[in-house]
Amino acid sequence: MRFVDEFRDAEQARALAARIAARCEPGRTYKFMEVCGGHTHTIYQHGLEDYLPEQVELVHGPGCPVCVIPMGRVDDAIAIARRPEVILTSFGDMMRVPGGDGSFLDAKAAGADIRMVYSPLDALKIARQHPDRQVVFMAIGFETTAPSTAVTVLRAKAEGLTNFSVFCNHVTILPAIKAILDSPDQRLDGFLGPGHVSTVIGCEPYRFIAEQYGKPLVVAGFEPLDILHSIDMLLAQLAEGRCEIENQYSRVVPWDGNPTALKVLGDVLELRPFFEWRGLGFISHSALRLTEAYADFDAERRFDVPGVRVADPQSCQCGEVLKGVLKPWECKVFGTACTPETPIGTCMVSPEGACAAYYNFGRFRRQRLLQVTAR
């Protein structure tokens, strides 16, 4: 299959692995963060860690939109869904995310009308079909999915629908990266930049990472050779004394992003003063809400939302996992009390969660296969 098979070629992977090993300085270690959860799954699905020398360590970041939603926001959505006139719609990966008062599936079992949709336009269709009900779309995701929410709001306004609203939980990636760079818990040598987000925002917004923090970033694709090539590009920068923003995923990501999507975002959505992230706490200007012009479609203004903060379970260490401080297998409940069937934290629920990746692909402890390049 074109654009897949050529990025999964074993011979090229071995060649890249050999080049990566040759670039490593003797006695030096390298720690790179893959920001996006999609990268984490590629790494462990294809065993890419085993192609890297021991000197190169990959840690995961906060690029899983479901994982960073705090428990209080889940409870707020459930509170809206329990209203008899409301139909709450949500993407499937949010349905099992635990809040302080259970998950969406628990609330649905108790009588709330919560429905899974594949697109916000599906929620709009339900609103047309049920003019006597209030249909609320649980909007989540980074800049990747925010444009589709904005377009749906534009369409709802154009159609004059008064029974549709959005419970907006869209977050932005740059403040989260900045929070990690400012954290004393993490010492990184560079970043694998998120590919999907970059299709919208482009590469230019990452420039502050190189200029202010002195860390290189390479926007990476999601196939195995994309990841290995991006690591090689990071190591090349460090070996040559460069610190730049580079685009490995140029077949998909334009340097300046998607101007049409950015314009829609700017028209419909604006930055919140602050927003709580699981594991990172409150980060200023890190999430989106509807602008005043579209306030009629804002579920937080239409309904009485509790807005109560809920602490994570003490046994759950999702926060440390999201910051890259802990590997999932270092969590006390990973693979025992916390599994995809009985998740305690969000990182075990989402398809992009680091814990789910480690669990599904058998990484229950630190184990590396050595000398893969010599096979």
Side-chain angles (χ1 to χ4, degrees):
M1 183 182 294
R2 194 179 178 204
F3 300 126
V4 174
D5 291 345
E6 62 263 48
F7 293 98
R8 297 184 180 183
D9 183 270
E11 287 299 323
Q12 291 190 52
R14 284 190 280 268
L16 276 169
R19 198 160 74 191
I20 287 169
R23 290 196 192 276
C24 293
E25 297 179 19
R28 180 177 177 180
T29 59
Y30 304 86
K31 182 182 284 189
F32 300 131
M33 173 175 281
E34 78 271 4
V35 176
C36 182
H39 290 149
T40 304
H41 275 252
T42 296
I43 290 164
Y44 292 101
Q45 180 181 1
H46 296 277
L48 298 187
E49 262 204 336
D50 298 327
Y51 280 81
L52 302 176
E54 286 281 345
Q55 293 167 263
V56 177
E57 180 184 3
L58 300 178
V59 297
H60 26 267
C64 165
V66 171
C67 302
V68 301
I69 297 295
M71 296 180 75
R73 296 294 286 184
V74 177
D75 287 354
D76 288 343
I78 290 174
I80 295 173
R82 284 177 174 156
R83 299 174 67 99
E85 75 275 21
V86 168
I87 299 173
L88 181 71
T89 58
S90 169
F91 292 143
D93 51 0
M94 276 297 302
M95 296 295 286
R96 295 191 304 117
V97 172
D101 196 21
S103 67
F104 286 0
L105 284 180
D106 294 328
K108 181 178 177 67
D113 194 345
I114 302 178
R115 307 183 189 185
M116 186 180 73
V117 294
Y118 292 98
S119 161
L121 292 174
D122 292 340
L124 200 64
K125 181 179 180 180
I126 294 172
R128 296 190 198 102
Q129 294 170 341
H130 299 274
D132 57 328
R133 303 284 299 278
Q134 289 290 326
V135 177
V136 180
F137 174 63
M138 174 79 174
I140 64 164
F142 289 94
E143 292 94 336
T144 315
T145 55
S148 62
T149 299
V151 167
T152 303
V153 171
L154 288 173
R155 183 169 295 184
K157 186 169 185 175
E159 294 181 14
L161 288 175
T162 59
N163 67 323
F164 175 79
S165 60
V166 171
F167 183 52
C168 192
N169 295 275
H170 286 299
V171 289
T172 58
I173 194 62
L174 297 176
I177 295 177
K178 185 178 186 301
I180 288 171
L181 286 165
D182 290 335
S183 171
D185 297 333
Q186 192 63 274
R187 292 289 180 266
L188 300 169
D189 295 291
F191 291 88
L192 297 177
H196 292 146
V197 167
S198 301
T199 61
V200 176
I201 69 171
C203 303
E204 189 67 27
Y206 302 115
R207 189 175 296 278
F208 78 96
I209 298 171
E211 294 179 351
Q212 298 179 26
Y213 292 93
K215 307 295 182 184
L217 180 145
V218 175
V219 174
F222 294 90
E223 293 298 327
L225 293 187
D226 288 326
I227 303 291
L228 292 174
H229 185 203
S230 298
I231 293 169
D232 181 56
M233 291 170 70
L234 285 171
L235 288 168
Q237 285 200 47
L238 294 173
E240 296 164 10
R242 295 185 291 117
C243 182
E244 301 172 3
I245 307 302
E246 293 184 319
N247 184 12
Q248 184 274 336
Y249 203 27
S250 58
R251 66 183 186 275
V252 174
V253 175
W255 185 264
D256 294 320
N258 185 327
T260 303
L262 291 171
K263 183 180 185 307
V264 171
L265 282 179
D267 290 344
V268 179
L269 300 169
E270 65 183 7
L271 289 172
R272 294 176 182 264
F274 56 86
F275 191 78
E276 183 183 6
W277 291 55
R278 186 182 292 250
L280 297 175
F282 283 93
I283 305 176
S284 61
H285 302 107
S286 65
L288 301 172
R289 66 184 180 189
L290 271 66
T291 62
E292 193 64 35
Y294 297 92
D296 290 345
F297 299 94
D298 190 340
E300 292 182 77
R301 305 192 195 196
R302 183 174 296 190
F303 303 102
D304 183 21
V305 178
V308 177
R309 291 191 66 194
V310 180
D312 288 340
Q314 291 187 353
S315 60
C316 176
Q317 295 179 281
C318 266
E320 287 77 8
V321 171
L322 286 168
K323 291 187 290 187
V325 175
L326 287 183
K327 297 282 189 178
W329 47 261
E330 295 177 297
C331 176
K332 302 184 288 264
V333 294
F334 172 76
T336 54
C338 185
T339 68
E341 290 74 29
T342 58
I344 294 176
T346 53
C347 297
M348 189 61 89
V349 178
S350 172
E352 293 190 8
C355 295
Y358 276 58
Y359 186 93
N360 290 331
F361 301 117
R363 186 57 61 92
F364 293 101
R365 62 189 66 84
R366 181 173 181 82
Q367 53 186 10
R368 298 277 296 270
L369 300 176
L370 302 181
Q371 297 181 339
V372 171
T373 56
R375 287 179 182 172

